[in-house]
Amino acid sequence: MRILLGVTGGIAAYKAVLLLRLLREQGHAVRVIPTRAALQFVGAPTFEALSGEPVSTEVFDDVPGVQHVALGKGADLVIVAPATADFMARAAAGLADDLLTTTLLAARCPVVLAPAMHTEMWDHPATRANVATLRQRGVRVIEPASGRLTGVDTGPGRLPEPEDIAREALSLVSPSLVDPTLVDPTLVEPVETPEPQDLAGRRVVISAGGTREPIDPVRFIGNRSSGRQGIALAQAAAARGADVTLIAANLAQDVTDQVEAAPVGSGPVGSARTAAGQPPCAVVRVESTAELRDAVRAAGVAADVVVMAAAVADFRPASTPEAKIKKVPGQGPAPIELVENPDILAELAHERLRAGQVVVGFAAETGDESGSVLEHGRTKARRKGADLIAVNAVGSGRGFGTEGNEVTILDGAGDVVGQASGSKREVADAVWDAVVKLLP
Ligand code: C5P
C-alpha cells in the first residue's frame, strides 16, 4: 500500500520515526511529508534513509512534477502523526500553505490524524471545534492517549504508541492488512456502519442508574434502575461524535462491566470505553442524590446537552447516624423520617447552567384512574420545564432493568415529538434524533 506519513512539529515527532519503520517493515511504501516545524525535531535525512524516498516540505520543491497533486492522488492512506493543534486548525480551515496541507486537499483516500499536545490545548474549544469539523468531513481523528506529557504535566494529549496508530489506520483501509499479532479487538472501530456525526463537538452529560439514600452506614433506600438506558444513551452519543460524561449511580453489575467505571468519588476519570470499538467517555461514579446532583451540575456547566436518565430518589432519610441502627429486642422498628430531595431535572431546566443548553428527562409512568401513562407524562413535561421528556410505561416487566424499552418523546409543552420502541440503543438514538433538532 502507498502511505503518506505527515509529521508536524511536536516533541512526539520522534515517534513518527518508529511508526515509519513499522510501516516499512510491514511492506508498505511510505513517503514522509514533514512540516517545517517537524524538521526542528527530526532531520530530513532520518526520514529519507528510513523511507528510501525524498523528503520535502514545500510545494515549490518539484514544481514541474506538481508534487502535491501527484502525491495526494496516488496515496492509499494518509497518516499524520503527530498532528499538532496548529496543523489541525490549518487542515480544518482548508489552508494550503505547505506541501502537507496542499497534499491533504488533493488526497481522496482515508485520512487518519493522531493528535499530540498538552491537555489544555486538546481541551480548548478551538481545538474541539477543529476536531469536530475534521471528523464531520470523514477524517479519522484518533483519541490521544493519557499519561506523561512533555515537562511535568500528565493527562490526555500523548501520542498513542506507533503500533496502535498503525493498527487503527490500517484497519480503516482494510482490516486484513492489520498485523494479527497487534490486534486488540476493542480498539478497532467497526468501519462498515458509519453513524451520523451529528453530535460531533458537542459535550453531553448523561446520568444513569439509580440513587441510594443512606439510612445508616450499611442500609439504604434504593430502586431497581440498572442504568442500561443511560449507558445506551452514552454509547449512542459517543458513536455520533459527542464528548460524553456519564454520571453513573449504582449500575447493575453487567452494565458496570461494560463501562469500566471508576471507583466511587474519584471524580471524572477520562477514558472508559462505552463498548467495544467505541470512543471513550468520562465516567463519574456516585451513590446518593446529593452526589449525583453535585456531579451533574459540575459537568453540566460546560455541556450542550444534559440528559437525566437516572432514577433519582424523591426522598431521603432526614439524618444518617454514623453507627448502624441496632435492633433493640421488644422495641419494634425505629421510624425513619424522610425529607424531600431536590428535583435535579427541574432545577437544571429552570436555571440553565449554560446558555442554549438542551435539558432532557425521563419519566417512568404507570397509568391509573386519574390518567393514562401519556397524560401523566404530559403533566410532568409541563411541570419540569425540560425541553424533552421521554415517557415510558413501567411495570409488568417493562422499563426498569429490562433489555428493551418503549418511549414517547414529548416537548416542554407536552406535545409528542417522537416515538421509539425496541432495544435501549434504538430508543437512545430516537432521543438523540429529537435532541439534534433542538441544538443551535
Ligand atoms: O418526577 P419523576 O421522578 O418521575 O421524574 C423523572 C425525571 O426527573 C428523570 O429524568 C429523573 O432523572 C429526574 N429527577 C431528578 N431529581 C429528582 C427526581 C427525578 O432529576 N429528585
Side-chain angles (χ1 to χ4, degrees), residues 235-255:
Q235 290 175 336
R240 291 166 80 146
D243 187 333
V244 182
T245 300
L246 181 73
I247 314 293
N250 313 295
L251 305 180
Q253 188 55 50
D254 53 334
V255 187

Side-chain angles (χ1 to χ4, degrees), residues 150-295:
T150 322
V152 291
D153 49 344
T154 57
R158 260 173 81 86
L159 187 72
E161 292 310 310
E163 292 79 9
D164 295 335
I165 299 171
R167 179 175 49 226
E168 189 146 348
L170 294 172
S171 72
L172 206 58
V173 183
S174 165
S176 64
L177 286 171
V178 180
D179 178 346
T181 60
L182 298 178
V183 172
D184 170 356
T186 62
L187 291 174
V188 182
E189 291 188 28
V191 286
E192 67 279 7
T193 52
E195 301 272 350
Q197 293 299 292
D198 48 6
L199 290 172
R202 304 288 189 176
R203 287 183 195 238
V204 308
V205 174
I206 300 159
S207 70
T211 58
R212 290 179 180 177
E213 307 301 311
I215 296 171
D216 67 14
V218 292
R219 306 179 178 97
F220 59 82
I221 300 171
N223 61 66
R224 292 184 198 281
S225 177
S226 65
R228 281 197 185 87
Q229 186 61 70
I231 300 288
L233 284 158
Q235 290 175 336
R240 291 166 80 146
D243 187 333
V244 182
T245 300
L246 181 73
I247 314 293
N250 313 295
L251 305 180
Q253 188 55 50
D254 53 334
V255 187
T256 305
D257 294 345
Q258 273 186 49
V259 292
E260 302 166 20
V264 174
S266 65
V269 291
S271 293
R273 279 187 185 276
T274 50
Q278 287 213 337
C281 80
V283 179
V284 183
R285 276 185 71 190
V286 296
E287 286 196 353
S288 65
T289 298
E291 288 171 4
L292 181 86
R293 178 174 179 269
D294 288 347

Side-chain angles (χ1 to χ4, degrees), residues 207 289 308-314 341-346 360-365 380 383-384:
S207 70
T289 298
M308 285 293 298
V312 183
D314 291 322
N341 270 331
D343 189 319
I344 304 169
L345 176 65
V360 183
F362 274 74
E365 300 290 346
K380 195 161 286 179
R383 180 161 51 81
K384 299 257 185 185

Side-chain angles (χ1 to χ4, degrees), residues 85-86 88-90 92 117 120-134 203:
D86 173 72
M88 289 197 295
R90 289 190 293 130
M117 66 197 71
E120 292 75 11
M121 297 172 77
W122 175 246
D123 280 341
H124 193 283
T127 308
R128 307 306 312 159
N130 291 329
V131 169
T133 303
L134 290 164
R203 287 183 195 238

